[in-house]
Amino acid sequence: MFRRDLRPDSWFFSFLVGSLSRSLFAFAALAKNQTSKGFAPVTMETSRHMYEYVATALDWWHADRSCEQRFAQLLFEPQDSERGSFGKLLQSHHIRGSVWLNERDGVLHKPKWRRDHIVPVLVFGDKTDTKYVKVLSDFPALPAVTACAHLQWDTRTQEIATIFSYAVPAFINEFQLRGFVDEEGFVRFALIVHGHHSPYLPVFRADGQWHHFCVTWQQENGTWAIYADGKRRASASGLCAVGPSAPQAIYGQGTFIIGQDQDSLGGTFAEKESFSGNITDLHIWQKVLGAEQIEKVRSCWVVEQDLVFGWSSNALEVESTVQEVTARILCPGPVEECRVFEVGSSGFSYASCLQSLPFICRYRKDVYWQLKKAQLEASHSLVGRVNTLAERTVIPENLFTSGVQDMNLSVALGALDVLTTVLREAETPMLESSDLLAVLQLLKQVSDVEVQEGEDLEMLEQLGQYYVEVMELILEEQNIETWSSVSQVIRGPMAVVELCDRMVSHLALLLTAGRTKITIQHGNVGMEVRKLDMSGQELSSEAYLVQSPGKGRHDLIEVPAEEMQRLKARGLHRVMVKNMWFGYGSLQRCLSGAGSSAVFQDVAASDGGQKYLSTTVGTAVISSTLLSDYQEISTSVHYHLQHRVQELPDKLLGPICAFWNFSLSPDAGGMWSTAGCSVVTSFLDSTACVCNHTTNFAVLLQVYEMQRTTKEELTLQILTFIGCGVSFCALIVTFILFVVVGVPKSERTTVHKNLIFALAAAEALLMFSELAKANRVLCFTVTACLHLFFMAAFSWMLVEGLLLWSKVVAVNMSEDRRMKFYYVTGWGLPVVIVGVTLATSFNKYVADNHCWLNIQTNVIWAFVGPVLFILAVNTFVLFRVVTVTVSSARRRSKMLTPNSSLENQIGVQIWATAKPVLVLLPVLGLTWVCGVLVHLSIIWAYVFIVLNSLQGLYIFLVYAIYNSEVRNAIQRMKDKKKALSFTNCSHPINYLSSPRNTTSWETGKLSPSAAESAFSSPVQKDPPVKNIANRGNFGAKIPMGISSIMSPERPAVELTAFKSSGF
C-alpha cells in the first residue's frame, strides 16, 4: 500500500480533523472533576422507593460508586408509564437539568489510563461504486468471529451503507455488516451470516462523532451481539445456527472488502450500498470476545490471542480514490457516552461519562428506613475510637453524607491499620448495625483503590493482609444477629464475598515471573491469586487447599488436569486463578436463612420415611475463578468440603452441591442454585462435588426427621423383595400359560400378555437395582430401564382401560387399527417419555443414593405426571364400567327373578359393584393411588407395598387360575391327551366331536340328548344352553358375564374383558 499527503479539500476530511482536535481538548478539560460542595441532598418518596438527589456534580463512575457506598443504586431508567410523573416529582423539588442514569446491561469500568493512539484512518467520501479497501489476509474457517473498529458515520445520507463484506465462492453474503440512519437520528446495524439477516437495531447516535463498535457471532446456537462504545446494544441467538442447511462455520479463504457490498466475489459494487464515512482500527478474531476484552480493545490495547487480522497499512489494498490519513485518537475513544435523564423534558440523552453532573441514588423503601433506624440508634463507639486513634475522619459518622474518597495505597493502608487495631481490642462484644455498615462502607472504598504507577507494591500485600483480617473479625459468630439485621440493607450476606473478590483482583499486580502465587489467610477467611503458565507439555490439576483453624481438616477446590489440557488446546498461554475461602461462621448462618430454605424446600422430596425440616449451609464457602486477558473462562471444578454442623440425633442430612447465583432475586443479593452441580461422593463428615462452571460454592445440608425406625425400614425392604419375587414368579407363570396352553387369540389376551411382560421386567429390575449402585454407568442404565418398563406397565394399564371403554361405548374403529393404536400407546409412549427425559435432563436423571429417578429435581415428574394421568383415566373408566354393570344386573335380576325380595336385589347390586372392582383393580393400576397416602402413616406404607408388590400374584389368580378361558384351554389339552390315548384302543368312539357339550352343567353326567347327539350325528347343530339361572350361591342367581340389555334394534353387547369363572 502506498501513502499520500492530501490537502483537506473535502468537507468530510475537514470534519474528521476538526472533530478529533475538539475531542482531544474537550476530554483533557474534563479529566478533572469540577465538583460543587455544600449542597444538601434532597429526599423524595414514591410508593416503592426513596430517592436522594445529590447536587454535587461527579462523573458517572464517581456517582455510581457514591450511591453504592450509601447502600443504594444510581437511578435506573423510569418506566414509560412513570416517566412523566417522575419528571414532575423532580421539578416539584426544584430540580432541573440532567442527572446520570444507571446501566442495566452492566457496570461501566472507568479506564485507569488514557493514552494517545496514532493510527491510519480510511476516509470514504461520497457514496460511489468504486471506492473500496481490500484486506490482504488469509482467513481460516471461523466457527466464531469478532470484528471491532472505530467508525465515524456520514450524517448526510440515510441510505443503507455496507461497512464491510466478506464473500466466498459458495456464499457471496457470507459475513457482512450493514447500517443506516433512522428517522430518530440513530445508526442502526444489521449483521449478515451465511445470507441470514439480523434485524436493524439502533447502536449509537448519528452525531458525526467517533464511535467504537464490535460485532460477534458463533456457530453454536447462532449467538450474535453488537457492541457500541463499550456497551452491548443488541444480542440474540438463532442467526444461522447449526442445522442441515447451515455450514458448520464461516468459510475460510474468502475476500474481505471494507466499504462495499460484493455482488460477486471481490467486485460488482453498487453505489447505493457503499459506505460514506471514516473507519480505522479494524481487528478480527476467530473467537467471541467478552465484555472485558472488548473494553480493552476499545482502549486501543490489542488482544493477541486468536487474532486473525490486525489493523496495519501494509495489510490493506486501498483503491486510489479512498483517502488515507494519519490521525491521533485519545483512547478509549474520543467519545465515551453515558445515558442521562433530562428532567425538564422527561426524556433521555447521552453525555460524556467524564462530564460532571448531579445524580440521584435510589433506595428500596424498607432499606432506607432501616438505615435511618440504624443511624438514630447508633452510639458510634467503634467509629469514634477509629477516628480518635487515626486523629482524622477515617469513617464518617453519618451513613448518608459520606462522600467518595479517592484513596491511594497509603491512605487505604493507614485506614485499615487503625480499624484492625480497634477491632482486635474486642472491647465491644458485638458490633452495632451502624458500626458494621460504616465498616462495610470503608471496605467498599478500599476495594476500589486505584494503584498508581510508581507506588510501592509491598504496601498492596500488606493492605490485603489487613483487609482479610478485618473481614475475619467482622464475620465472627458473635456478630450473627448484627449481620441478620443489616442483610436487606447490604443486599444479602454474600456482598462481603463480592468485596473480597474486588480486593483479590488487586493482588494480581504482585504476580511476577519469580512469584506466581500470593496466598493470604487469617482465621476463617482466605484468598489466593496465582498465575499459570500453560506452555508445559503435561499440565496437572490446580488445587487450592485450605486448612481449617483448630479442626485439623482440609477444604479443597481444584481445576482438574483434563480441564487444563482443554484450555491449552484452546490456545491459552497464561491464565490467572482467583480463589477465596470463608470458614464456617456468621456468613453461613445468614446464608442458611437467606435463599436456601426458600429454594430447596419445594424440591425436598420424601417417601414417607422422613420429614423435611430445613436446609442449612453446612460447610465453608469456597470459590474459584479463571481469567485470561481479564475475561472469565468457563471451566468445571471439583471441590471437597468438610461438614461444620453438630451431630443431630435421629436426623438425616442430605447433601446438596450448590453455588450462589447473584442473578437470582437481585434485590436480595442472589440465591442458592444447583444448576450444573452434582454430588460425587458423600460421607458423614464431608461431601465431594463437581460443577461445570466456576463461582462461589458450598454444600447445603437438608435436615430430615426420621419418621420410621431402622427396623421398620428393614421390614419394608424385606416385604418389597419377597412381594416382588412372588409377583415376578406369578407373572412369569401367567405369561407362560397365556402362550403355551392355547388361549384363543383376542384383543384382551394380547393386552394382558404385554402388561404382564412389562410388569415382570420392571419388578425383576427393581429387586436387583440396589446391587447396581456401586457402578454409576450400570446404575444409570438400570434407572433408564426401570423408567421405561414401569412407564410401559402403566401405559398398558391405560390400554386395559381403553379396551374396557371400547366395550362399554361403541367405538367406530376396526380391530386391526385398535391394536396398532394400543401398541403405539403401550410401547411408543414410554419410549418417547424416557427419550425426552434423557435428552433434557441427562446430568440430573439419577438419584444420588438409589438407582431411580432424581426426586430432588423435576425429573421425577417424567414418571409421576403420566402415572397420575393414567390413574385418573382408569378411575373414570372403572366408574363407567361399574355403572353399566350395576344397571345391567338390576335389569337382569328383575327379568329372571321378578318376585325376589329387596335383600336379594341389594345383594345382586352389591356383587355387581364389587366384582368389576376386584377384577379390574390389578390391571388398571388403581392400587398405586395408595402411594399418595404413604407419608401419613407407616400403615399406609405397608398397605402400598403389599398391594403393589403382590400385583403380579393377584393377576395370576384372577386372570389365570379363575379365568374360564385359561381353564377351558387347559381342559382341552387334557381332553386332547385323553383322546389320543383312546386311539390306541380296539373300539374307538367319536369323542372329539364336542367334549364340552356331552356333559350336563349340573351333574357332569352324559345327558340323553347329548349322548344321542354325540353318537348319531357327526356334526353338532346347536350347543346346549347352560342353566345360568340356577347356578351360583350368593343370593339371587348371578350371570356369568356383564351384559347390556339393549333395545330390539340393537343387539346386546357382552363385556368379556374380565370373564372369569371364579366369581
Side-chain angles (χ1 to χ4, degrees):
M1 173 185 169
F2 57 93
R3 301 178 54 87
R4 298 176 294 122
D5 293 329
L6 299 173
R7 292 184 300 114
D9 50 0
S10 67
W11 170 88
F12 214 73
F13 178 73
S14 302
F15 179 75
L16 163 69
V17 177
S19 64
L20 284 173
S21 302
R22 288 194 299 271
S23 299
L24 180 62
F25 288 113
F27 276 90
L30 289 173
K32 296 177 62 177
N33 292 326
Q34 303 296 325
T35 60
S36 54
K37 305 293 183 181
F39 293 100
V42 178
T43 303
M44 297 160 287
E45 182 176 359
T46 63
S47 59
R48 293 185 300 172
H49 296 98
M50 298 292 296
Y51 296 92
E52 188 177 74
Y53 173 76
V54 182
T56 302
L58 300 174
D59 63 41
W60 189 93
W61 290 278
H62 282 88
D64 182 61
R65 285 170 53 189
S66 178
C67 290
E68 183 192 6
Q69 291 171 16
R70 296 164 187 256
F71 304 101
Q73 292 176 297
L74 193 63
L75 175 67
F76 280 97
E77 175 184 329
Q79 300 293 330
D80 293 340
S81 58
E82 302 174 351
R83 189 181 303 172
S85 59
F86 187 76
K88 293 179 180 178
L89 175 65
L90 296 180
Q91 294 178 41
S92 66
H93 288 80
H94 309 288
I95 298 173
R96 300 289 187 272
S98 303
V99 294
W100 289 122
L101 282 177
N102 208 336
E103 296 290 330
R104 292 188 180 274
D105 292 337
V107 178
L108 289 174
H109 298 284
K110 184 178 180 181
K112 296 182 179 181
W113 52 78
R114 304 171 66 81
R115 64 188 183 91
D116 291 343
H117 186 47
I118 301 175
V119 288
V121 177
L122 299 176
V123 180
F124 292 83
D126 296 332
K127 296 169 72 71
T128 69
D129 59 358
T130 59
K131 295 181 179 179
Y132 75 93
V133 175
K134 181 179 180 181
V135 174
L136 303 177
S137 179
D138 292 331
F139 288 88
L142 302 172
V145 64
T146 299
C148 298
H150 282 93
L151 186 73
Q152 195 175 31
W153 197 273
D154 185 356
T155 58
R156 298 173 298 170
T157 177
Q158 291 186 335
E159 294 181 340
I160 291 178
T162 303
I163 295 94
F164 62 76
S165 64
Y166 176 73
V168 295
F171 246 123
I172 298 301
N173 295 325
E174 179 70 352
F175 179 47
Q176 189 177 130
L177 181 65
R178 302 159 65 93
F180 72 94
V181 180
D182 64 14
E183 296 178 352
E184 298 179 356
F186 282 92
V187 176
R188 291 176 173 263
F189 275 1
L191 188 64
I192 300 175
V193 179
H194 301 315
H196 294 258
H197 205 297
S198 77
Y200 283 97
L201 297 171
V203 290
F204 56 80
R205 187 173 291 277
D207 52 8
Q209 302 294 325
W210 280 97
H211 295 275
H212 183 264
F213 76 86
C214 288
V215 293
T216 69
W217 177 86
Q218 59 181 346
Q219 169 254 326
E220 183 179 1
N221 299 325
T223 304
W224 60 275
I226 300 177
Y227 294 80
D229 299 323
K231 296 184 284 290
R232 187 170 60 184
R233 304 295 188 182
S235 64
S237 60
L239 181 59
C240 197
V242 173
S245 63
Q248 294 296 312
I250 294 175
Y251 289 121
Q253 306 305 315
T255 302
F256 196 102
I257 298 293
I258 302 173
Q260 292 286 358
D261 177 21
Q262 304 176 61
D263 289 334
S264 63
L265 188 62
T268 315
F269 307 135
E271 176 182 335
K272 63 178 181 179
E273 295 179 338
S274 63
F275 173 68
S276 177
N278 305 314
I279 189 169
T280 186
D281 244 7
L282 174 66
H283 291 79
I284 303 171
W285 294 263
Q286 58 178 346
K287 70 171 184 176
V288 173
L289 297 186
E292 292 285 346
Q293 289 177 310
I294 288 176
E295 182 63 28
K296 185 176 181 181
V297 172
R298 180 170 171 250
S299 302
C300 308
W301 294 91
V302 179
V303 176
E304 298 290 346
Q305 181 186 345
D306 296 321
L307 182 66
V308 175
F309 170 73
W311 188 248
S312 172
S313 300
N314 298 324
L316 299 175
E317 178 186 307
V318 182
E319 193 269 334
S320 59
T321 59
V322 176
Q323 300 177 6
E324 182 188 4
V325 299
T326 300
R328 187 164 68 104
I329 298 178
L330 184 62
C331 294
V335 177
E336 199 160 349
E337 292 184 334
C338 294
R339 297 195 75 184
V340 297
F341 180 68
E342 302 291 350
V343 178
S345 62
S346 297
F348 306 107
S349 64
Y350 287 85
S352 168
C353 297
L354 291 175
Q355 184 176 341
S356 295
L357 290 176
F359 57 96
I360 296 175
C361 295
R362 188 188 75 173
Y363 298 85
R364 289 204 340 254
K365 187 172 284 187
D366 56 340
V367 170
Y368 181 84
W369 292 116
Q370 283 187 31
L371 281 169
K372 281 291 187 183
K373 180 181 178 181
Q375 185 67 38
L376 292 174
E377 296 177 354
S379 64
H380 304 298
S381 58
L382 175 68
V383 173
R385 292 202 308 275
V386 170
N387 292 337
T388 300
L389 184 60
E391 298 181 349
R392 64 181 182 88
T393 302
V394 174
I395 305 177
E397 292 187 355
N398 193 332
L399 296 171
F400 293 94
T401 59
S402 60
V404 178
Q405 301 182 41
D406 279 328
M407 288 188 172
N408 56 29
L409 276 180
S410 179
V411 174
L413 186 62
L416 287 192
D417 186 9
V418 174
L419 178 59
T420 305
T421 302
V422 173
L423 289 174
R424 278 202 212 105
E425 294 175 356
E427 294 181 0
T428 305
M430 183 177 69
L431 289 175
E432 296 180 358
S433 298
S434 60
D435 290 336
L436 182 56
L437 293 173
V439 171
L440 290 176
Q441 275 189 338
L442 178 61
L443 292 177
K444 285 174 180 283
Q445 294 174 1
V446 173
S447 63
D448 288 330
V449 66
E450 294 185 3
V451 182
Q452 304 297 327
E453 293 184 8
E455 289 190 300
D456 186 1
L457 293 183
E458 291 184 0
M459 290 193 300
L460 181 59
E461 186 171 0
Q462 185 61 45
L463 182 67
Q465 296 281 358
Y466 283 143
Y467 200 96
V468 170
E469 185 173 359
V470 170
M471 276 293 180
E472 200 273 335
L473 290 171
I474 63 177
L475 285 174
E476 289 181 347
E477 292 195 38
Q478 64 189 23
N479 296 318
I480 176 64
E481 294 183 6
T482 308
W483 279 104
S484 299
S485 65
V486 302
S487 180
Q488 288 187 338
V489 176
I490 64 176
R491 290 197 302 160
M494 287 294 284
V496 299
V497 177
E498 286 188 291
L499 290 178
C500 285
D501 185 69
R502 293 189 204 175
M503 188 64 215
V504 75
S505 297
H506 290 311
L507 299 178
L509 298 174
L510 298 172
L511 298 176
T512 63
R515 190 181 187 188
T516 59
K517 182 173 70 173
I518 306 293
T519 303
I520 299 175
Q521 182 176 346
H522 196 285
N524 276 325
V525 179
M527 61 176 60
E528 179 188 86
V529 59
R530 63 173 68 185
K531 181 171 62 175
L532 305 179
D533 186 1
M534 312 286 286
S535 60
Q537 293 294 327
E538 293 295 331
L539 298 177
S540 60
S541 61
E542 293 296 330
Y544 176 46
L545 186 67
V546 185
Q547 183 172 0
S548 305
K551 296 288 184 178
R553 299 185 296 178
H554 296 83
D555 290 330
L556 170 72
I557 187 168
E558 68 173 349
V559 180
E562 54 269 21
E563 283 294 309
M564 301 299 296
Q565 293 289 350
R566 183 180 65 84
L567 296 178
K568 179 183 177 182
R570 286 176 50 185
L572 299 179
H573 302 293
R574 286 175 296 277
V575 174
M576 185 176 71
V577 184
K578 297 190 301 183
N579 296 312
M580 293 184 295
W581 176 81
F582 297 86
Y584 196 82
S586 297
L587 178 63
Q588 283 77 1
R589 299 287 182 87
C590 294
L591 289 172
S592 295
S596 55
S597 297
V599 174
F600 295 102
Q601 186 171 357
D602 293 336
V603 302
S606 171
D607 62 355
Q610 55 205 32
K611 178 183 178 182
Y612 172 77
L613 297 179
S614 63
T615 300
T616 182
V617 181
T619 64
V621 174
I622 197 166
S623 72
S624 184
T625 306
L626 273 71
L627 301 101
S628 176
D629 289 330
Y630 303 100
Q631 181 189 17
E632 187 172 332
I633 305 170
S634 177
T635 182
S636 65
V637 295
H638 296 174
Y639 63 95
H640 192 166
L641 300 178
Q642 303 293 326
H643 298 170
R644 300 297 201 280
V645 294
Q646 297 179 351
E647 293 295 331
L648 301 174
D650 301 326
K651 298 293 188 296
L652 177 66
L653 300 179
I656 299 176
C657 299
F659 72 98
W660 188 263
N661 191 334
F662 288 96
S663 62
L664 296 177
S665 184
D667 287 341
M671 299 183 75
W672 289 111
S673 173
T674 60
C677 296
S678 60
V679 175
V680 178
T681 54
S682 181
F683 306 97
L684 292 177
D685 60 347
S686 65
T687 297
C689 303
V690 60
C691 289
N692 61 8
H693 51 81
T694 55
T695 183
N696 306 293
F697 304 102
V699 175
L700 308 184
L701 298 178
Q702 287 186 331
V703 183
Y704 294 90
E705 182 180 10
M706 299 303 296
Q707 299 287 86
R708 303 173 190 151
T709 64
T710 305
K711 184 178 180 181
E712 290 173 336
E713 288 287 346
L714 181 61
T715 303
L716 290 174
Q717 291 179 7
I718 294 175
L719 283 176
T720 301
F721 189 82
I722 294 175
C724 286
V726 173
S727 180
F728 175 75
C729 295
L731 289 170
I732 293 298
V733 173
T734 306
F735 187 82
I736 293 174
L737 287 175
F738 270 97
V739 173
V740 173
V741 301
V743 176
K745 292 184 178 180
S746 65
E747 287 180 321
R748 178 166 47 88
T749 55
T750 301
V751 172
H752 285 345
K753 285 189 286 186
N754 280 277
L755 171 61
I756 290 169
F757 175 78
L759 197 57
E763 293 192 350
L765 285 170
L766 182 62
M767 283 190 295
F768 300 101
S769 61
E770 290 297 305
L771 301 178
K773 287 196 304 183
N775 189 314
R776 297 191 64 175
V777 176
L778 182 59
C779 185
F780 189 96
T781 305
V782 169
T783 300
C785 292
L786 276 173
H787 190 192
L788 175 65
F789 284 113
F790 267 118
M791 278 308 311
F794 275 98
S795 297
W796 282 105
M797 292 176 194
L798 175 63
V799 171
E800 293 275 6
L802 297 176
L803 179 62
L804 277 176
W805 182 259
S806 69
K807 301 298 182 181
V808 176
V809 178
V811 177
N812 188 17
M813 184 184 295
S814 65
E815 181 175 341
D816 289 340
R817 292 180 61 188
R818 280 203 306 268
M819 285 310 303
K820 291 179 180 178
F821 173 73
Y822 292 158
Y823 274 110
V824 169
T825 303
W827 291 112
L829 184 62
V831 169
V832 171
I833 292 175
V834 175
V836 171
T837 307
L838 287 172
T840 56
S841 304
F842 188 83
N843 295 325
K844 305 177 183 177
Y845 189 69
V846 183
D848 292 331
N849 300 317
H850 301 282
C851 295
W852 180 235
L853 300 180
N854 191 347
I855 62 174
Q856 304 292 346
T857 63
N858 292 328
V859 171
I860 190 63
W861 287 102
F863 176 74
V864 174
V867 166
L868 292 177
F869 172 77
I870 292 170
L871 294 182
V873 172
N874 283 353
T875 301
F876 176 77
V877 170
L878 180 62
F879 175 78
R880 178 65 174 159
V881 169
V882 169
T883 302
V884 172
T885 305
V886 172
S887 177
S888 176
R890 186 186 301 115
R891 290 195 299 268
R892 182 169 296 193
S893 176
K894 289 182 179 180
M895 292 176 60
L896 298 178
T897 56
N899 298 323
S900 63
S901 62
L902 179 62
E903 291 80 3
N904 287 340
Q905 294 180 11
I906 294 175
V908 169
Q909 295 182 20
I910 293 175
W911 178 242
T913 302
K915 179 179 178 179
V917 171
L918 293 174
V919 174
L920 294 177
L921 274 179
V923 293
L924 295 184
L926 298 182
T927 53
W928 284 74
V929 177
C930 298
V932 301
L933 306 175
V934 165
H935 68 282
L936 297 178
S937 171
I938 185 66
I939 297 176
W940 283 110
Y942 286 122
V943 172
F944 176 73
I945 288 178
V946 169
L947 287 179
N948 290 286
S949 62
L950 297 180
Q951 185 179 11
L953 179 61
Y954 196 63
I955 291 176
F956 171 69
L957 294 175
V958 174
Y959 292 92
I961 299 300
Y962 294 105
N963 188 326
S964 60
E965 290 184 347
V966 175
R967 295 171 66 181
N968 290 336
I970 296 174
Q971 184 63 41
R972 284 195 296 271
M973 291 181 64
K974 292 180 180 179
D975 293 341
K976 183 177 180 181
K977 183 177 180 181
K978 187 182 297 183
L980 291 175
S981 65
F982 274 114
T983 60
N984 297 325
C985 299
S986 58
H987 301 287
I989 61 173
N990 188 7
Y991 186 80
L992 296 177
S993 59
S994 180
R996 293 180 59 193
N997 295 324
T998 59
T999 310
S1000 171
W1001 180 276
E1002 295 289 343
T1003 62
K1005 298 179 180 180
L1006 189 68
S1007 64
S1009 61
E1012 181 180 352
S1013 175
F1015 288 100
S1016 64
S1017 176
V1019 179
Q1020 184 176 347
K1021 297 180 180 179
D1022 295 316
V1025 178
K1026 298 177 182 178
N1027 187 6
I1028 62 175
N1030 297 323
R1031 177 165 174 79
N1033 55 6
F1034 187 93
K1037 306 306 178 184
I1038 309 300
M1040 287 301 297
I1042 298 177
S1043 62
S1044 300
I1045 306 300
M1046 302 296 181
S1047 62
E1049 292 79 16
R1050 181 177 180 181
V1053 178
E1054 184 170 358
L1055 303 181
T1056 60
F1058 45 88
K1059 183 192 294 182
S1060 59
S1061 61
F1063 291 93

